[in-house]
Amino acid sequence: LRNLLERFYEIDTARITKFITDSLLSKNLSVIAMAADICGRKKIEPGLPVLSQLLSDSIWNIRQLVARNIGKIGNISYTDSLRKLINDPHTYVRMRASYGLGIIFPSDILDYISDVLDQERLIVRNNFIEGIKKRDEPIDMNFILQAYNRLQTTAGKKSLVLLTPYTRADRKSRRIYKKLLKEKDPDIRKTIYLSIFSGENEFWIENMKKYSRKEPLADLRQFINKSF
């Protein structure tokens, strides 16, 4: 049914948009889930007002699926709606809200970066990172440095530096990378190396090789050399 509705949406956008928006008001969870999913997949912005109302639903499953699809639509006007769910009592709701915020990536994200990445649950932190990876443009390496300095936990910093191979490939990024290598915690540096290795970005792989001699721990230098 979802596939059919998505095909019909391309043929008669106005009528299917109204049908999907009306379906969001259903009392049936499966119907709401399907409608919200189509809104997210097709970026149906007229559905956003209803989706936003559902963010305060008493059923956590509705809150989480709605948060996810608001993020996928990507309208920055609904950032505050998602931000309110960062402290939701249910982990999956916080996870989806963080994912949505990562996709939208609002200009004031640094103001509450700690609220997202210093959370205890790994699934919440890493969904924010995965949301950022879904963006069409690379991240400014300076964002990582600024966010890093605002985080309080090692766990949050380790999640953050997973973005390293998804940053711009330029000299500025290289300079900031060298600053991050001065981080005292070897777990942070190892996470950076692992992220570069798994990211398969040639620019960052070459930089990791080039600056491997600056790594103070012999074990980590060997780890880099053995990885290639």
Side-chain angles (χ1 to χ4, degrees), residues 108-149:
D108 64 344
I109 189 64
L110 285 173
D111 293 342
Y112 50 97
I113 193 72
S114 180
D115 294 336
V116 180
L117 288 182
D118 280 331
Q119 292 216 14
E120 180 180 356
R121 298 300 297 271
L122 174 66
I123 195 172
V124 177
R125 301 194 306 271
N126 282 3
N127 261 264
F128 175 67
I129 301 302
E130 290 303 313
I132 294 177
K133 289 179 182 179
K134 292 291 185 181
R135 291 170 54 79
D136 293 331
E137 57 183 283
I139 300 300
D140 190 326
M141 190 67 171
N142 195 48
F143 163 75
I144 295 182
L145 184 62
Q146 290 179 310
Y148 189 93
N149 291 331

mmCIF file of all heavy atoms in Angstrom, residues 108-149:
data_model
loop_
_atom_site.group_PDB
_atom_site.id
_atom_site.type_symbol
_atom_site.label_atom_id
_atom_site.label_comp_id
_atom_site.label_asym_id
_atom_site.label_seq_id
_atom_site.Cartn_x
_atom_site.Cartn_y
_atom_site.Cartn_z
ATOM 1 N N ASP A 108 22.257 26.725 15.403
ATOM 2 C CA ASP A 108 22.556 26.869 16.830
ATOM 3 C C ASP A 108 22.808 25.529 17.519
ATOM 4 O O ASP A 108 22.716 25.432 18.744
ATOM 5 C CB ASP A 108 21.418 27.603 17.539
ATOM 6 C CG ASP A 108 20.105 26.827 17.510
ATOM 7 O OD1 ASP A 108 19.988 25.876 16.700
ATOM 8 O OD2 ASP A 108 19.193 27.166 18.293
ATOM 9 N N ILE A 109 23.136 24.506 16.748
ATOM 10 C CA ILE A 109 23.301 23.167 17.314
ATOM 11 C C ILE A 109 24.359 23.120 18.407
ATOM 12 O O ILE A 109 24.261 22.350 19.359
ATOM 13 C CB ILE A 109 23.638 22.138 16.202
ATOM 14 C CG1 ILE A 109 23.604 20.709 16.749
ATOM 15 C CG2 ILE A 109 24.983 22.438 15.561
ATOM 16 C CD1 ILE A 109 22.264 20.260 17.225
ATOM 17 N N LEU A 110 25.381 23.971 18.321
ATOM 18 C CA LEU A 110 26.431 23.974 19.339
ATOM 19 C C LEU A 110 25.897 24.377 20.710
ATOM 20 O O LEU A 110 26.462 23.989 21.737
ATOM 21 C CB LEU A 110 27.572 24.905 18.933
ATOM 22 C CG LEU A 110 28.514 24.394 17.842
ATOM 23 C CD1 LEU A 110 29.481 25.494 17.422
ATOM 24 C CD2 LEU A 110 29.297 23.170 18.317
ATOM 25 N N ASP A 111 24.806 25.137 20.727
ATOM 26 C CA ASP A 111 24.248 25.595 21.998
ATOM 27 C C ASP A 111 23.721 24.447 22.850
ATOM 28 O O ASP A 111 23.621 24.565 24.077
ATOM 29 C CB ASP A 111 23.123 26.609 21.758
ATOM 30 C CG ASP A 111 23.630 27.912 21.163
ATOM 31 O OD1 ASP A 111 24.846 28.160 21.244
ATOM 32 O OD2 ASP A 111 22.806 28.668 20.600
ATOM 33 N N TYR A 112 23.359 23.352 22.203
ATOM 34 C CA TYR A 112 22.855 22.209 22.975
ATOM 35 C C TYR A 112 23.517 20.894 22.561
ATOM 36 O O TYR A 112 22.966 19.810 22.769
ATOM 37 C CB TYR A 112 21.328 22.105 22.876
ATOM 38 C CG TYR A 112 20.744 22.160 21.497
ATOM 39 C CD1 TYR A 112 20.425 21.010 20.814
ATOM 40 C CD2 TYR A 112 20.488 23.382 20.884
ATOM 41 C CE1 TYR A 112 19.874 21.050 19.552
ATOM 42 C CE2 TYR A 112 19.926 23.438 19.616
ATOM 43 C CZ TYR A 112 19.618 22.278 18.958
ATOM 44 O OH TYR A 112 19.064 22.335 17.703
ATOM 45 N N ILE A 113 24.720 21.008 22.004
ATOM 46 C CA ILE A 113 25.441 19.801 21.574
ATOM 47 C C ILE A 113 25.708 18.854 22.739
ATOM 48 O O ILE A 113 25.659 17.638 22.606
ATOM 49 C CB ILE A 113 26.765 20.184 20.866
ATOM 50 C CG1 ILE A 113 27.354 18.973 20.135
ATOM 51 C CG2 ILE A 113 27.773 20.781 21.835
ATOM 52 C CD1 ILE A 113 26.605 18.563 18.911
ATOM 53 N N SER A 114 25.958 19.434 23.913
ATOM 54 C CA SER A 114 26.222 18.595 25.084
ATOM 55 C C SER A 114 24.975 17.817 25.499
ATOM 56 O O SER A 114 25.071 16.672 25.955
ATOM 57 C CB SER A 114 26.724 19.456 26.248
ATOM 58 O OG SER A 114 26.979 18.661 27.384
ATOM 59 N N ASP A 115 23.805 18.430 25.344
ATOM 60 C CA ASP A 115 22.551 17.744 25.700
ATOM 61 C C ASP A 115 22.349 16.485 24.866
ATOM 62 O O ASP A 115 21.731 15.521 25.318
ATOM 63 C CB ASP A 115 21.356 18.676 25.489
ATOM 64 C CG ASP A 115 21.369 19.868 26.431
ATOM 65 O OD1 ASP A 115 21.992 19.769 27.490
ATOM 66 O OD2 ASP A 115 20.761 20.894 26.090
ATOM 67 N N VAL A 116 22.884 16.497 23.646
ATOM 68 C CA VAL A 116 22.734 15.346 22.749
ATOM 69 C C VAL A 116 23.860 14.347 22.946
ATOM 70 O O VAL A 116 23.618 13.148 23.167
ATOM 71 C CB VAL A 116 22.697 15.804 21.276
ATOM 72 C CG1 VAL A 116 22.538 14.599 20.352
ATOM 73 C CG2 VAL A 116 21.569 16.796 21.045
ATOM 74 N N LEU A 117 25.101 14.806 22.875
ATOM 75 C CA LEU A 117 26.246 13.887 22.835
ATOM 76 C C LEU A 117 26.790 13.491 24.199
ATOM 77 O O LEU A 117 27.582 12.544 24.283
ATOM 78 C CB LEU A 117 27.372 14.490 21.988
ATOM 79 C CG LEU A 117 27.096 14.505 20.478
ATOM 80 C CD1 LEU A 117 28.290 15.069 19.726
ATOM 81 C CD2 LEU A 117 26.781 13.099 19.964
ATOM 82 N N ASP A 118 26.397 14.167 25.251
ATOM 83 C CA ASP A 118 26.821 13.728 26.581
ATOM 84 C C ASP A 118 25.791 12.816 27.226
ATOM 85 O O ASP A 118 25.881 12.516 28.418
ATOM 86 C CB ASP A 118 27.101 14.939 27.482
ATOM 87 C CG ASP A 118 28.469 15.557 27.220
ATOM 88 O OD1 ASP A 118 29.385 14.807 26.810
ATOM 89 O OD2 ASP A 118 28.627 16.769 27.412
ATOM 90 N N GLN A 119 24.824 12.360 26.430
ATOM 91 C CA GLN A 119 23.844 11.414 26.957
ATOM 92 C C GLN A 119 24.514 10.064 27.219
ATOM 93 O O GLN A 119 25.469 9.680 26.547
ATOM 94 C CB GLN A 119 22.693 11.234 25.974
ATOM 95 C CG GLN A 119 21.829 12.468 25.832
ATOM 96 C CD GLN A 119 20.360 12.118 25.637
ATOM 97 O OE1 GLN A 119 19.909 10.987 25.841
ATOM 98 N NE2 GLN A 119 19.588 13.122 25.257
ATOM 99 N N GLU A 120 23.955 9.339 28.165
ATOM 100 C CA GLU A 120 24.550 8.059 28.569
ATOM 101 C C GLU A 120 24.395 6.986 27.500
ATOM 102 O O GLU A 120 25.310 6.179 27.278
ATOM 103 C CB GLU A 120 23.896 7.586 29.867
ATOM 104 C CG GLU A 120 24.445 6.274 30.381
ATOM 105 C CD GLU A 120 23.774 5.827 31.666
ATOM 106 O OE1 GLU A 120 22.925 6.574 32.194
ATOM 107 O OE2 GLU A 120 24.091 4.710 32.136
ATOM 108 N N ARG A 121 23.280 6.968 26.784
ATOM 109 C CA ARG A 121 23.007 5.880 25.859
ATOM 110 C C ARG A 121 23.721 6.093 24.527
ATOM 111 O O ARG A 121 23.543 7.110 23.842
ATOM 112 C CB ARG A 121 21.501 5.747 25.621
ATOM 113 C CG ARG A 121 20.705 5.416 26.872
ATOM 114 C CD ARG A 121 21.149 4.093 27.499
ATOM 115 N NE ARG A 121 20.920 2.971 26.626
ATOM 116 C CZ ARG A 121 19.787 2.276 26.612
ATOM 117 N NH1 ARG A 121 18.787 2.600 27.418
ATOM 118 N NH2 ARG A 121 19.646 1.257 25.779
ATOM 119 N N LEU A 122 24.512 5.101 24.145
ATOM 120 C CA LEU A 122 25.266 5.146 22.898
ATOM 121 C C LEU A 122 24.346 5.292 21.690
ATOM 122 O O LEU A 122 24.660 6.010 20.732
ATOM 123 C CB LEU A 122 26.109 3.872 22.762
ATOM 124 C CG LEU A 122 26.870 3.679 21.450
ATOM 125 C CD1 LEU A 122 27.945 4.748 21.301
ATOM 126 C CD2 LEU A 122 27.501 2.279 21.393
ATOM 127 N N ILE A 123 23.199 4.633 21.720
ATOM 128 C CA ILE A 123 22.290 4.643 20.585
ATOM 129 C C ILE A 123 21.758 6.046 20.304
ATOM 130 O O ILE A 123 21.495 6.411 19.160
ATOM 131 C CB ILE A 123 21.123 3.653 20.830
ATOM 132 C CG1 ILE A 123 20.384 3.372 19.512
ATOM 133 C CG2 ILE A 123 20.161 4.162 21.887
ATOM 134 C CD1 ILE A 123 19.364 2.268 19.628
ATOM 135 N N VAL A 124 21.630 6.859 21.347
ATOM 136 C CA VAL A 124 21.184 8.242 21.173
ATOM 137 C C VAL A 124 22.290 9.074 20.550
ATOM 138 O O VAL A 124 22.080 9.798 19.573
ATOM 139 C CB VAL A 124 20.754 8.859 22.522
ATOM 140 C CG1 VAL A 124 20.370 10.330 22.340
ATOM 141 C CG2 VAL A 124 19.583 8.086 23.116
ATOM 142 N N ARG A 125 23.494 8.948 21.091
ATOM 143 C CA ARG A 125 24.626 9.730 20.580
ATOM 144 C C ARG A 125 24.916 9.392 19.121
ATOM 145 O O ARG A 125 25.077 10.277 18.275
ATOM 146 C CB ARG A 125 25.876 9.458 21.432
ATOM 147 C CG ARG A 125 25.725 9.791 22.914
ATOM 148 C CD ARG A 125 27.072 9.824 23.600
ATOM 149 N NE ARG A 125 27.847 8.610 23.424
ATOM 150 C CZ ARG A 125 27.781 7.541 24.229
ATOM 151 N NH1 ARG A 125 26.946 7.538 25.267
ATOM 152 N NH2 ARG A 125 28.542 6.476 24.020
ATOM 153 N N ASN A 126 24.983 8.115 18.827
ATOM 154 C CA ASN A 126 25.390 7.719 17.480
ATOM 155 C C ASN A 126 24.308 7.949 16.427
ATOM 156 O O ASN A 126 24.613 8.089 15.244
ATOM 157 C CB ASN A 126 25.847 6.264 17.472
ATOM 158 C CG ASN A 126 27.255 6.112 18.040
ATOM 159 O OD1 ASN A 126 27.858 7.095 18.483
ATOM 160 N ND2 ASN A 126 27.787 4.915 18.025
ATOM 161 N N ASN A 127 23.048 8.018 16.831
ATOM 162 C CA ASN A 127 22.002 8.362 15.857
ATOM 163 C C ASN A 127 22.117 9.823 15.440
ATOM 164 O O ASN A 127 21.811 10.158 14.300
ATOM 165 C CB ASN A 127 20.613 8.071 16.425
ATOM 166 C CG ASN A 127 20.068 6.749 15.938
ATOM 167 O OD1 ASN A 127 19.316 6.683 14.974
ATOM 168 N ND2 ASN A 127 20.487 5.665 16.582
ATOM 169 N N PHE A 128 22.557 10.672 16.339
ATOM 170 C CA PHE A 128 22.823 12.068 15.968
ATOM 171 C C PHE A 128 23.921 12.112 14.914
ATOM 172 O O PHE A 128 23.806 12.815 13.899
ATOM 173 C CB PHE A 128 23.235 12.852 17.207
ATOM 174 C CG PHE A 128 23.642 14.273 16.928
ATOM 175 C CD1 PHE A 128 22.713 15.199 16.481
ATOM 176 C CD2 PHE A 128 24.946 14.676 17.106
ATOM 177 C CE1 PHE A 128 23.084 16.513 16.224
ATOM 178 C CE2 PHE A 128 25.337 15.982 16.853
ATOM 179 C CZ PHE A 128 24.405 16.911 16.411
ATOM 180 N N ILE A 129 24.977 11.343 15.132
ATOM 181 C CA ILE A 129 26.081 11.281 14.176
ATOM 182 C C ILE A 129 25.606 10.730 12.833
ATOM 183 O O ILE A 129 25.965 11.247 11.768
ATOM 184 C CB ILE A 129 27.228 10.414 14.725
ATOM 185 C CG1 ILE A 129 27.752 10.982 16.051
ATOM 186 C CG2 ILE A 129 28.358 10.296 13.712
ATOM 187 C CD1 ILE A 129 28.256 12.410 15.963
ATOM 188 N N GLU A 130 24.792 9.672 12.862
ATOM 189 C CA GLU A 130 24.290 9.090 11.612
ATOM 190 C C GLU A 130 23.406 10.081 10.857
ATOM 191 O O GLU A 130 23.411 10.106 9.622
ATOM 192 C CB GLU A 130 23.509 7.803 11.906
ATOM 193 C CG GLU A 130 24.380 6.641 12.368
ATOM 194 C CD GLU A 130 25.475 6.314 11.374
ATOM 195 O OE1 GLU A 130 25.164 6.223 10.164
ATOM 196 O OE2 GLU A 130 26.629 6.164 11.787
ATOM 197 N N GLY A 131 22.653 10.888 11.592
ATOM 198 C CA GLY A 131 21.836 11.897 10.948
ATOM 199 C C GLY A 131 22.688 12.917 10.194
ATOM 200 O O GLY A 131 22.383 13.296 9.070
ATOM 201 N N ILE A 132 23.781 13.332 10.820
ATOM 202 C CA ILE A 132 24.691 14.284 10.173
ATOM 203 C C ILE A 132 25.304 13.667 8.918
ATOM 204 O O ILE A 132 25.457 14.339 7.889
ATOM 205 C CB ILE A 132 25.799 14.721 11.158
ATOM 206 C CG1 ILE A 132 25.197 15.516 12.321
ATOM 207 C CG2 ILE A 132 26.856 15.562 10.446
ATOM 208 C CD1 ILE A 132 26.195 15.930 13.372
ATOM 209 N N LYS A 133 25.626 12.398 8.977
ATOM 210 C CA LYS A 133 26.218 11.726 7.813
ATOM 211 C C LYS A 133 25.259 11.686 6.623
ATOM 212 O O LYS A 133 25.705 11.573 5.476
ATOM 213 C CB LYS A 133 26.619 10.293 8.185
ATOM 214 C CG LYS A 133 27.811 10.186 9.124
ATOM 215 C CD LYS A 133 28.098 8.728 9.424
ATOM 216 C CE LYS A 133 29.244 8.549 10.390
ATOM 217 N NZ LYS A 133 29.497 7.119 10.690
ATOM 218 N N LYS A 134 23.960 11.776 6.888
ATOM 219 C CA LYS A 134 22.972 11.728 5.814
ATOM 220 C C LYS A 134 22.899 13.032 5.026
ATOM 221 O O LYS A 134 22.276 13.088 3.968
ATOM 222 C CB LYS A 134 21.585 11.417 6.391
ATOM 223 C CG LYS A 134 21.426 10.015 6.954
ATOM 224 C CD LYS A 134 21.449 8.976 5.861
ATOM 225 C CE LYS A 134 21.175 7.585 6.425
ATOM 226 N NZ LYS A 134 21.220 6.552 5.368
ATOM 227 N N ARG A 135 23.539 14.074 5.541
ATOM 228 C CA ARG A 135 23.485 15.359 4.866
ATOM 229 C C ARG A 135 24.226 15.310 3.531
ATOM 230 O O ARG A 135 25.126 14.510 3.327
ATOM 231 C CB ARG A 135 24.103 16.436 5.761
ATOM 232 C CG ARG A 135 23.259 16.737 6.994
ATOM 233 C CD ARG A 135 24.011 17.621 7.983
ATOM 234 N NE ARG A 135 24.508 18.828 7.355
ATOM 235 C CZ ARG A 135 23.775 19.897 7.083
ATOM 236 N NH1 ARG A 135 22.496 19.906 7.393
ATOM 237 N NH2 ARG A 135 24.308 20.955 6.511
ATOM 238 N N ASP A 136 23.826 16.205 2.618
ATOM 239 C CA ASP A 136 24.400 16.212 1.275
ATOM 240 C C ASP A 136 25.756 16.902 1.207
ATOM 241 O O ASP A 136 26.469 16.748 0.223
ATOM 242 C CB ASP A 136 23.440 16.913 0.292
ATOM 243 C CG ASP A 136 22.155 16.138 0.094
ATOM 244 O OD1 ASP A 136 22.191 14.897 0.231
ATOM 245 O OD2 ASP A 136 21.117 16.770 -0.177
ATOM 246 N N GLU A 137 26.100 17.671 2.226
ATOM 247 C CA GLU A 137 27.359 18.396 2.203
ATOM 248 C C GLU A 137 28.258 17.968 3.357
ATOM 249 O O GLU A 137 27.773 17.564 4.419
ATOM 250 C CB GLU A 137 27.105 19.900 2.281
ATOM 251 C CG GLU A 137 26.309 20.342 3.506
ATOM 252 C CD GLU A 137 26.026 21.829 3.490
ATOM 253 O OE1 GLU A 137 26.957 22.595 3.790
ATOM 254 O OE2 GLU A 137 24.888 22.208 3.177
ATOM 255 N N PRO A 138 29.586 18.036 3.158
ATOM 256 C CA PRO A 138 30.506 17.633 4.222
ATOM 257 C C PRO A 138 30.461 18.603 5.399
ATOM 258 O O PRO A 138 30.062 19.763 5.262
ATOM 259 C CB PRO A 138 31.876 17.662 3.533
ATOM 260 C CG PRO A 138 31.711 18.626 2.403
ATOM 261 C CD PRO A 138 30.298 18.449 1.934
ATOM 262 N N ILE A 139 30.877 18.132 6.554
ATOM 263 C CA ILE A 139 30.892 18.935 7.772
ATOM 264 C C ILE A 139 32.163 19.780 7.822
ATOM 265 O O ILE A 139 33.219 19.372 7.347
ATOM 266 C CB ILE A 139 30.824 18.013 9.005
ATOM 267 C CG1 ILE A 139 29.548 17.175 8.963
ATOM 268 C CG2 ILE A 139 30.890 18.810 10.302
ATOM 269 C CD1 ILE A 139 28.284 17.990 8.955
ATOM 270 N N ASP A 140 32.047 20.953 8.397
ATOM 271 C CA ASP A 140 33.219 21.783 8.629
ATOM 272 C C ASP A 140 33.996 21.185 9.801
ATOM 273 O O ASP A 140 33.438 20.960 10.871
ATOM 274 C CB ASP A 140 32.787 23.218 8.956
ATOM 275 C CG ASP A 140 33.949 24.197 8.963
ATOM 276 O OD1 ASP A 140 35.057 23.780 9.358
ATOM 277 O OD2 ASP A 140 33.754 25.358 8.589
ATOM 278 N N MET A 141 35.266 20.920 9.612
ATOM 279 C CA MET A 141 36.084 20.323 10.665
ATOM 280 C C MET A 141 36.111 21.198 11.915
ATOM 281 O O MET A 141 36.264 20.696 13.029
ATOM 282 C CB MET A 141 37.509 20.101 10.138
ATOM 283 C CG MET A 141 38.387 19.262 11.052
ATOM 284 S SD MET A 141 37.819 17.550 11.156
ATOM 285 C CE MET A 141 39.171 16.796 12.059
ATOM 286 N N ASN A 142 35.926 22.496 11.725
ATOM 287 C CA ASN A 142 35.916 23.397 12.867
ATOM 288 C C ASN A 142 34.717 23.123 13.779
ATOM 289 O O ASN A 142 34.780 23.368 14.983
ATOM 290 C CB ASN A 142 35.886 24.855 12.399
ATOM 291 C CG ASN A 142 36.244 25.821 13.510
ATOM 292 O OD1 ASN A 142 37.236 25.634 14.218
ATOM 293 N ND2 ASN A 142 35.441 26.852 13.677
ATOM 294 N N PHE A 143 33.635 22.602 13.200
ATOM 295 C CA PHE A 143 32.484 22.223 14.022
ATOM 296 C C PHE A 143 32.885 21.146 15.023
ATOM 297 O O PHE A 143 32.505 21.199 16.190
ATOM 298 C CB PHE A 143 31.344 21.716 13.137
ATOM 299 C CG PHE A 143 30.299 20.941 13.905
ATOM 300 C CD1 PHE A 143 29.387 21.599 14.705
ATOM 301 C CD2 PHE A 143 30.257 19.548 13.843
ATOM 302 C CE1 PHE A 143 28.435 20.886 15.439
ATOM 303 C CE2 PHE A 143 29.313 18.838 14.560
ATOM 304 C CZ PHE A 143 28.396 19.504 15.352
ATOM 305 N N ILE A 144 33.658 20.169 14.566
ATOM 306 C CA ILE A 144 34.097 19.102 15.460
ATOM 307 C C ILE A 144 34.940 19.670 16.601
ATOM 308 O O ILE A 144 34.767 19.308 17.772
ATOM 309 C CB ILE A 144 34.885 18.023 14.691
ATOM 310 C CG1 ILE A 144 33.965 17.328 13.686
ATOM 311 C CG2 ILE A 144 35.506 17.008 15.647
ATOM 312 C CD1 ILE A 144 34.633 16.212 12.914
ATOM 313 N N LEU A 145 35.843 20.572 16.265
ATOM 314 C CA LEU A 145 36.705 21.164 17.290
ATOM 315 C C LEU A 145 35.892 21.971 18.299
ATOM 316 O O LEU A 145 36.091 21.849 19.514
ATOM 317 C CB LEU A 145 37.765 22.046 16.636
ATOM 318 C CG LEU A 145 38.804 22.657 17.582
ATOM 319 C CD1 LEU A 145 39.601 21.557 18.278
ATOM 320 C CD2 LEU A 145 39.747 23.585 16.815
ATOM 321 N N GLN A 146 34.967 22.783 17.813
ATOM 322 C CA GLN A 146 34.151 23.600 18.712
ATOM 323 C C GLN A 146 33.249 22.725 19.585
ATOM 324 O O GLN A 146 33.105 22.965 20.793
ATOM 325 C CB GLN A 146 33.300 24.581 17.901
ATOM 326 C CG GLN A 146 34.097 25.691 17.249
ATOM 327 C CD GLN A 146 33.209 26.610 16.431
ATOM 328 O OE1 GLN A 146 32.397 26.169 15.595
ATOM 329 N NE2 GLN A 146 33.329 27.905 16.650
ATOM 330 N N ALA A 147 32.635 21.722 18.968
ATOM 331 C CA ALA A 147 31.763 20.824 19.725
ATOM 332 C C ALA A 147 32.567 20.040 20.749
ATOM 333 O O ALA A 147 32.129 19.844 21.893
ATOM 334 C CB ALA A 147 31.045 19.872 18.769
ATOM 335 N N TYR A 148 33.744 19.617 20.357
ATOM 336 C CA TYR A 148 34.608 18.837 21.240
ATOM 337 C C TYR A 148 34.882 19.597 22.536
ATOM 338 O O TYR A 148 34.856 19.030 23.633
ATOM 339 C CB TYR A 148 35.920 18.540 20.518
ATOM 340 C CG TYR A 148 36.820 17.558 21.224
ATOM 341 C CD1 TYR A 148 36.762 16.203 20.937
ATOM 342 C CD2 TYR A 148 37.725 17.980 22.189
ATOM 343 C CE1 TYR A 148 37.577 15.298 21.584
ATOM 344 C CE2 TYR A 148 38.548 17.083 22.848
ATOM 345 C CZ TYR A 148 38.472 15.742 22.537
ATOM 346 O OH TYR A 148 39.272 14.849 23.194
ATOM 347 N N ASN A 149 35.129 20.880 22.403
ATOM 348 C CA ASN A 149 35.466 21.697 23.573
ATOM 349 C C ASN A 149 34.269 21.959 24.477
ATOM 350 O O ASN A 149 34.445 22.428 25.604
ATOM 351 C CB ASN A 149 36.066 23.034 23.118
ATOM 352 C CG ASN A 149 37.440 22.857 22.483
ATOM 353 O OD1 ASN A 149 38.169 21.930 22.813
ATOM 354 N ND2 ASN A 149 37.777 23.732 21.554
#
